[in-house]
Every structure is written in C-alpha cells, then in structure tokens.
Amino acid sequence: MTSLAQLAPLPRTEILAYWVLSLGSHLYSFYQLHRFSKEHEAGLERGFQLEKGLVKGFKRDLSDFEWSFWTEWAKKSLLWTLIGHGVISRLTSIFNPKLRVPALTIYGLLAASSVLGIKGVSVLLVHVGLSFSLAQLQKPALSWCCNLLLLSTLHIHPLQEIQRGWYKTEEEYYLLVFSVAVCGLRLISFSLEHCWSPADGGGAVQLGWLFSYTFYHPFFYNGPIISYRDYTEQMQRPAEECDGDKSGVIYLVLRSGRIILWWCLAEYMIHVMYMHSIQSNETYLEILPPWALGGLALALVQFFFVKYLVLFGFPSMLASMDQLVPPKLPRCVSIMYSFTGMWRHFDAGLYRWLIRYIYVPLGGSRHGLLYQMLSTGLAFGFVCLWHGGHDYLRYWALMNWAGVVVENTLKSVFASSYIHSIVNLLEACLHSRLVHHCPAYAGFPLLLCSDWTGVDFSPTMSHLDFVSEAESPECDLLSPEPCPHQTEALWHTWLSSTERPKPG
C-alpha cells in the first residue's frame, strides 16, 4: 500500500512554476493595493491615522494599534531596559554565574516598577501571592478557579477605572492590562506544575523561582510563552551544557541584523500600503478592485506575521543568550493550509501551553473522538476568554474549533486501510496525486474565512480586547485582521466584483 511518505517528489519545473505563480500573484496584488492606497491617500489621511513617514514623500499608516503601541514603548523605555537585561545577564555570567538568576529577577522587578509604578506591580504581586498560596494545596481545579477569577478582574469596570486613575495616559494602563494577562498564563503554569509534581526545596525557594519566572524581563509584557517547568530546568543547566554559539558576539550581531531587517520590512509595508486604514472602512472595501482586495487580505496576514517576528524575535534572542530555549518564531502564513498547522507553527509557545495544561489533562486524543472534540473546544474557549470574550471572538473560536475537528475527523477516516485503498485506486484512475490531499482541501475554505475574522491570535495579539467595545470606539482596530462586519463587506465585494465596473 502506497503511503504519503513514498510519493515521488515533484519535478523541479513544476516546483518552479508554483513559485513563480505564487510570488507573481503576491507581488501583483500588493502592487494593486499600493496603487489604490496612493490614489486615495488624501481621503485616508483625513479620516484615519496617516502621519509623515520615515522616508521623505511617504505617509505612514498608524491604524495597527499593536505595532504603533509597541513601537512607541520601545522608543520610550522598553528597548533600553531589554538591552540592560542583556548587559546584566552577560556580566553576571562572566563574573559570578550563581548570582545571575537573582540579579535578573531583581532587575526585572525594578524594570516593571519603573513603567507600571508601585501600584501596578502591587497588583501583580497580589496575583502571585494568591496563586502561590492556593497552589500549595495541590488541587488543580482550585488553582484553575483562582487564576480564572484573577484574570476576570480585567473585566470589572470599577476596578478598571481605579487602575486608569493611577496613570497619566491610556497607554500606561494598557501596559498593565497586558502584563496581568500574560502573567495569568505564567501563574497557571506554575500552579499546575506544582500540583502535579511539587519541586524540591522549601516554600521560599519555590517562591523565588516563581518571582524569577514571572518577572523575567524579555518575556514579561508580550511573551512568547514558555512553561514554568521548562524555565526552571533550563535556567539551572550548567554552563557547559548550553550552546555556546548562542551567547557570543557573532550570534548577537546576526540575530540583531535579522530583527532589524524584519522591522524595516514591516515599516516598508505600512509606508506603501495603507491596509489597516482601508480595512477599517467599508466604503473603501466596496470600491477595491478584485486584485487589490486580494492584496489587502494577503498584506494583513503577512504584516501580522512580520510584526511578530519582530515582537518575539528580540526577546527570544535575549532568552537564548540566557540559556533558555524559546519557542520557535512564527512560520510564514502563506505556506499555512490547515488549522492545526496554523496553531502548531505560528505561535509555538501558546500551542504547547494549551496542549500541556488544557488539551492533555482533559483527555485529548487518548480517549476517542468525543474527548478530543471536547478538549479542543475548551482550549479554544480559554483563548477566547483570555482575549476578552467578545462576540466576534466567540465566532472566531467556534470556526477554529470546527476547522480542527473537520481536519482531525478526515485524517482519521483517511487513515483506515479501506479508505486508503479507495484513495489509491482513485489516484490511479484519475492520474492525480492531489487525491491524497483531500483532507486539507476540506478545511481550507474554513481557514480562509477564519483568517479574515482574526485567526492569527498569539499570546498577546489583542489584549486590548479586554477593553469593552463601549469604552473603545477604536475596537475594530484592535485586531490586525478584519472584524466580522468588515469581513462581510470583503466577502460581498469579492462575490460581486465581476458585476461592478472597475472604479476610475
């Protein structure tokens, strides 16, 4: 019986043809979107956030909240505190390695206090203390309830108003929201690891490691996410077991160069294509030519991909120099064709977190299809809740869950020997190897729809979704993907594009 692994490789000419067609369609659709952006630049500048670009003669689209937010914070302090972390880590590793973890913990706490203030850090300390105390009871269900209640405090309106009063700007308050949300994942990780296998040493030692894990500066605000077990094991590894190539000057220069190139590419995209401003207005969506409409969808997901190469790239580089093994950086969305692949490879840290703390404990695939569907559904439900739990997030979670269920069901069906023999017979009759990939085709339309409603959620993609729609008129800009009403406009525009004359 022929298996997928035994299929002959594609001819080089066919591979070349695919590359030419793929790159050509990408570039041409981007060019059409660029033309549309320049033709309507004046209107977009009046109605949206276009500012003077970094390059003379260009405007800059500021409508992607996340990119603008983190860029401004990097200029103010974040970039410099991250560099300070790297310097302290390197000095302690050279002169006194035993002090490295305590020094980085103290530095992370001071760096957080300098931005969030004493009151902001006090909120995190209260969360840490409550979670640590209940974890000592070694009751996973109780720890889950405690940490979910702590996360729910982000939704309490009176508490939000009190915390807003601590800061002069909304951006400072939002940074506290981000920190609490990401801290919640770390506290859940610590609590469950302690319930399953309590670490050796007294409570003071465990609390010290929890502080180190919580306030580790490169991952503090925006991730990526690693588990408590991985963090403590890797930070305690002897220096001789670590990869020396990832602590040298050459590694630092090469990785920094790559991150700068990714940043330049992201800035280039928002200088030549105003995709975020266009996707926020149905009027422009309705008059987009078909090729520019395709370019808009591609540009949105590609910008999201490049953005997180930057946002995860620099912290991951510093973590690698600290002997940690950070999650792999996101994989290009243009080569994603399945829900499971998107979740497994775009944000590997969140994927592993969900698998370890939700999917596997609930049974996963070990107890049949029903348990697998339930485990998957609750994992997506948690991500929806963690990002704010708004209506459009529920639709997004439901669509992702349906896509994963469809894919897994079809994989199980096609794995049977009877169905496999039918597939081989059809392949021989139709002379097409594409029959083997039918499971992927079934889920691909759902993946496209989910892409347009915000499939690319990462650990910290839209923490401002905790801000209610009534409080934030810019809520449609909080997600780098079109919101449901914009998706509907995109969909109807695509369906009727052949019936309308091309706008002049």
Side-chain angles (χ1 to χ4, degrees):
M1 182 169 55
T2 305
S3 65
L4 292 177
Q6 295 172 331
L7 293 176
L10 295 176
R12 292 186 178 181
T13 53
E14 186 175 349
I15 295 177
L16 178 61
Y18 290 150
W19 274 104
V20 171
L21 290 173
S22 178
L23 291 177
S25 61
H26 275 65
L27 295 176
Y28 183 72
S29 61
F30 288 158
Y31 170 70
Q32 291 296 326
L33 180 61
H34 166 70
R35 286 186 56 188
F36 184 88
S37 299
K38 292 303 178 181
E39 290 171 2
H40 298 84
E41 185 175 79
L44 291 168
E45 187 173 9
R46 287 193 301 268
F48 299 95
Q49 299 178 348
L50 293 186
E51 69 168 16
K52 184 178 180 181
L54 303 178
V55 180
K56 185 177 180 180
F58 286 87
K59 300 294 182 180
R60 186 168 177 260
D61 186 0
L62 296 179
S63 297
D64 184 80
F65 178 89
E66 200 174 20
W67 181 254
S68 301
F69 179 87
W70 290 116
T71 299
E72 289 302 314
W73 272 112
K75 294 177 183 177
K76 291 179 182 179
S77 62
L78 188 55
L79 180 61
W80 311 114
T81 55
L82 286 173
I83 293 174
H85 171 95
V87 172
I88 290 177
S89 175
R90 190 61 179 165
L91 291 177
T92 53
S93 297
I94 294 174
F95 296 106
N96 196 335
K98 293 183 179 181
L99 293 179
R100 184 172 63 93
V101 173
L104 293 180
T105 303
I106 295 172
Y107 179 82
L109 185 60
L110 293 176
S113 301
S114 68
V115 177
L116 301 179
I118 300 299
K119 294 180 179 178
V121 171
S122 298
V123 171
L124 294 172
L125 293 177
V126 169
H127 285 210
V128 169
L130 290 174
S131 182
F132 177 80
S133 299
L134 286 179
Q136 304 308 307
L137 301 177
Q138 298 183 20
K139 302 290 185 182
L142 187 60
S143 292
W144 262 113
C145 291
C146 171
N147 285 288
L148 289 177
L149 286 174
L150 291 176
L151 283 175
S152 69
T153 59
L154 294 171
H155 300 276
I156 301 175
H157 183 70
L159 186 58
Q160 291 176 348
E161 294 304 315
I162 293 174
Q163 293 174 348
R164 277 191 170 93
W166 299 344
Y167 303 106
K168 296 179 180 179
T169 64
E170 283 288 285
E171 285 71 20
E172 292 175 304
Y173 165 71
Y174 292 156
L175 198 62
L176 174 63
V177 175
F178 294 177
S179 305
V180 172
V182 179
C183 179
L185 296 184
R186 298 194 189 98
L187 294 180
I188 292 173
S189 176
F190 165 79
S191 299
L192 295 181
E193 295 290 352
H194 183 77
C195 291
W196 294 337
S197 55
D200 297 332
V205 175
Q206 297 174 17
L207 186 60
W209 276 110
L210 178 57
F211 269 94
S212 175
Y213 176 55
T214 302
F215 290 98
Y216 182 68
H217 191 56
F219 294 165
F220 180 70
Y221 299 107
N222 200 42
I225 303 299
I226 63 173
S227 69
Y228 175 79
R229 183 188 65 172
D230 290 341
Y231 177 82
T232 54
E233 288 179 354
Q234 293 167 13
M235 289 294 273
Q236 295 180 81
R237 286 186 303 175
E240 54 270 14
E241 295 182 10
C242 302
D243 189 353
D245 295 338
K246 293 188 176 182
S247 60
V249 177
I250 296 178
Y251 172 81
L252 178 64
V253 172
L254 292 178
R255 284 298 299 269
S256 299
R258 290 177 62 184
I259 295 168
I260 292 173
L261 287 176
W262 293 331
W263 178 85
C264 291
L265 179 57
E267 284 292 329
Y268 176 77
M269 292 180 71
I270 61 176
H271 276 74
V272 300
M273 296 179 291
Y274 308 140
M275 59 273 192
H276 298 104
S277 293
I278 293 172
Q279 67 100 7
S280 301
N281 188 281
E282 293 184 22
T283 301
Y284 289 108
L285 293 176
E286 291 175 354
I287 64 174
L288 269 173
W291 272 102
L293 181 66
L296 175 65
L298 285 171
L300 287 170
V301 295
Q302 289 296 341
F303 180 82
F304 189 81
F305 161 64
V306 176
K307 173 174 65 176
Y308 268 90
L309 288 178
V310 177
L311 296 182
F312 282 175
F314 194 47
S316 294
M317 178 187 70
L318 293 175
S320 297
M321 299 176 69
D322 287 338
Q323 304 178 10
L324 294 175
V325 182
K328 292 182 179 179
L329 294 179
R331 181 179 292 184
C332 179
V333 294
S334 287
I335 62 175
M336 299 291 184
Y337 59 88
S338 69
F339 283 93
T340 51
M342 179 69 74
W343 276 95
R344 181 178 290 112
H345 300 298
F346 188 85
D347 192 338
L350 178 60
Y351 172 79
R352 291 205 296 262
W353 192 97
L354 294 171
I355 292 294
R356 179 164 180 78
Y357 300 118
I358 298 180
Y359 184 78
V360 172
L362 291 175
S365 59
R366 296 171 298 172
H367 302 292
L369 183 60
L370 183 60
Y371 273 91
Q372 186 177 17
M373 293 172 61
L374 176 63
S375 303
T376 305
L378 289 178
F380 281 118
F382 174 81
V383 177
C384 172
L385 176 66
W386 187 62
H387 281 90
H390 298 308
D391 288 341
Y392 73 92
L393 290 169
R394 296 169 194 165
Y395 301 143
W396 163 84
L398 182 62
M399 188 170 293
N400 275 267
W401 173 77
V404 171
V405 169
V406 169
E407 288 179 2
N408 289 334
T409 302
L410 288 175
K411 286 179 182 177
S412 299
V413 171
F414 276 71
S416 68
S417 58
Y418 177 73
I419 298 297
H420 203 86
S421 62
I422 295 177
V423 170
N424 289 333
L425 179 61
L426 288 174
E427 182 187 21
C429 295
L430 298 176
H431 302 285
S432 175
R433 62 181 174 275
L434 299 181
V435 177
H436 275 284
H437 303 290
C438 287
Y441 304 152
F444 188 66
L446 282 174
L447 180 62
L448 290 178
C449 294
S450 185
D451 270 330
W452 281 7
T453 53
V455 67
D456 299 318
F457 274 83
S458 67
T460 51
M461 175 189 144
S462 271
H463 292 142
L464 291 184
D465 289 331
F466 282 110
V467 182
S468 69
E469 296 180 17
E471 295 173 350
S472 178
E474 299 85 4
C475 66
D476 292 343
L477 304 181
L478 300 183
S479 170
E481 309 299 337
C483 289
H485 69 274
Q486 298 157 349
T487 302
E488 183 180 4
L490 279 168
W491 180 251
H492 287 300
T493 302
W494 179 77
L495 287 177
S496 56
S497 60
T498 57
E499 301 174 4
R500 275 198 299 269
K502 185 177 179 180

